[in-house]
Amino acid sequence: KQEVTQIPAALSVPEGENLVLNCSFTDSAIYNLQWFRQDPGKGLTSLLLIQSSQREQTSGRLNASLDKSSGRSTLYIAASQPGDSATYLCAVDQGGSEKLVFGKGTKLTVNP
Amino acid sequence: EAGVVQSPRYKIIEKKQPVAFWCNPISGHNTLYWYLQNLGQGPELLIRYENEEAVDDSQLPKDRFSAERLKGVDSTLKIQPAELGDSAVYLCASSPGGLNTGELFFGEGSRLTVL
């Protein structure tokens, strides 16, 4: 059974700092991996999708990497801003099953 | 363009009462998902529809949960009777072409509290 773990559970940083969020998964037979953002009381917003054959994806200040063989992904946020404060969730699509398995998320707080 | 719309946003009921949640996906999105999110957890898939067909309902507790997607557009998720452990956020999501497109859009959720 696929398990997705995110470390740390919470992170507080000063504005402007570069930071890394970690995601690990137990079964490397994934179809793709996605990073989502969730604001309090809101739904999820897809940030980046990495196909199993890819190593990284970039969108603006966000960069996500994938090392499928080691079961790890990282989300790098450059020059963090208070508006980046949210919970970030990692999810894997297990073998094209169309069923995302989510981690519990990392709650990020960026202090002005 | 409107996003995924869910209602009600909040619902408080007594245990053993029925409750229903409604979802209107983005126009043209054939795939619709219902997820359950407990506090401090990631969402878990309950059911997936392709048009009006439920193609994956393996994680839907069928003794008390039911769902339908008539005409392949709007969808309703029902719980009858509700139990204390059903208190959670129920999220609806839609996609034009499935997860591999990265185009997965979530509604704001329906928060259920069972007393």
Side-chain angles (χ1 to χ4, degrees):
Chain A
K1 178 185 175 184
Q2 178 73 271
E3 293 184 3
V4 179
T5 303
Q6 293 189 244
I7 295 174
L11 181 63
S12 182
V13 300
E15 181 177 3
E17 190 162 300
N18 302 325
L19 57 100
V20 174
L21 307 181
N22 296 292
C23 171
S24 63
F25 45 95
T26 55
D27 187 343
S28 62
I30 64 169
Y31 200 54
N32 59 50
L33 182 145
Q34 292 192 57
W35 283 92
F36 292 86
R37 168 185 174 138
Q38 186 171 31
D39 292 284
K42 304 292 186 181
L44 282 69
T45 300
S46 179
L47 297 173
L48 290 165
L49 168 72
I50 310 177
Q51 301 288 357
S52 62
S53 59
Q54 297 175 321
R55 294 301 298 266
E56 66 177 331
Q57 283 286 338
T58 298
S59 176
R61 294 182 295 108
L62 305 180
N63 176 277
S65 68
L66 173 64
D67 184 343
K68 201 172 79 163
S69 61
S70 67
R72 295 179 187 275
S73 176
T74 61
L75 179 66
Y76 175 83
I77 303 177
S80 59
Q81 303 171 357
D84 295 330
S85 297
T87 296
Y88 292 80
L89 295 113
C90 164
V92 298
D93 181 359
Q94 186 66 37
S97 65
E98 285 285 321
K99 183 180 297 182
L100 287 177
V101 179
F102 283 85
K104 294 182 179 182
T106 293
K107 184 176 181 180
L108 173 65
T109 302
V110 181
N111 301 299
Chain B
E1 178 182 305
V4 177
V5 179
Q6 292 188 245
S7 69
R9 289 293 318 280
Y10 305 92
K11 188 74 175 180
I12 301 174
I13 61 172
E14 299 279 339
K15 64 180 180 181
K16 301 185 181 179
Q17 294 299 306
V19 63
F21 304 112
W22 174 80
C23 173
N24 179 232
I26 293 173
S27 177
H29 284 197
N30 298 326
T31 309
L32 184 146
Y33 311 80
W34 282 102
Y35 281 88
L36 163 70
Q37 186 174 25
N38 287 302
L39 187 65
Q41 305 291 317
E44 299 173 25
L45 180 69
L46 289 173
I47 190 168
R48 172 170 67 96
Y49 282 93
E50 294 291 345
N51 298 303
E52 67 275 9
E53 182 182 359
V55 296
D56 184 355
D57 63 356
S58 57
Q59 298 187 120
L60 188 72
K62 298 181 184 64
D63 56 336
R64 297 184 300 107
F65 286 65
S66 65
E68 61 182 11
R69 189 184 185 195
L70 299 177
K71 300 182 181 179
V73 182
D74 295 0
S75 178
T76 303
L77 178 69
K78 298 179 181 178
I79 308 174
Q80 182 170 11
E83 297 179 352
L84 295 177
D86 296 331
S87 295
V89 177
Y90 293 83
L91 293 164
C92 179
S94 71
S95 174
L99 295 180
N100 203 42
T101 64
E103 295 184 65
L104 182 64
F105 300 88
F106 281 83
E108 294 192 323
S110 294
R111 180 177 297 274
L112 174 66
T113 301
V114 182
L115 302 176

